[in-house]
Amino acid sequence: DVKDVIEQKEQIEKLYDDMSDRIEQLTWYEKKVLEFSMELPLSTLSKNTGISYKSLCYSKKKINIKLGIIK
């Protein structure tokens, strides 16, 4: 039904806008960790940057909380 498709599209757009707003509120460091962690495992990112694995894991968890992915 066309009405359902339009409603789903509006819901997706709302979710996208909400996530975009949450990402925009991240610090520059958090944005970089998010960006690079989507391409590389945190262990590789740690080796390549010299940032401790534990620190990257903490940052990633904090980012996921801010984005509403985990509580």
Side-chain angles (χ1 to χ4, degrees):
D1 175 69
V2 174
K3 205 174 206 179
D4 290 338
V5 171
I6 291 171
E7 188 176 303
Q8 287 177 343
K9 182 180 181 281
E10 289 172 352
Q11 289 175 346
I12 291 169
E13 287 173 351
K14 185 180 182 304
L15 288 171
Y16 176 84
D17 290 343
D18 182 51
M19 188 59 73
S20 294
D21 290 344
R22 290 177 187 207
I23 290 171
E24 194 59 38
Q25 293 175 14
L26 296 175
T27 66
W28 70 268
Y29 176 77
E30 291 168 336
K31 288 177 186 175
K32 285 297 178 190
V33 170
L34 178 62
E35 177 185 346
F36 288 124
S37 68
M38 293 174 86
E39 299 173 14
L40 299 169
L42 292 181
S43 58
T44 304
L45 188 56
S46 174
K47 289 176 189 171
N48 291 350
T49 62
I51 300 169
S52 77
Y53 178 76
K54 188 174 179 178
S55 178
L56 288 171
C57 288
Y58 174 78
S59 294
K60 184 68 184 216
K61 182 178 179 181
K62 193 169 135 184
I63 291 164
N64 287 338
I65 291 169
K66 285 183 175 185
L67 295 180
I69 296 170
I70 61 172
K71 293 183 181 185

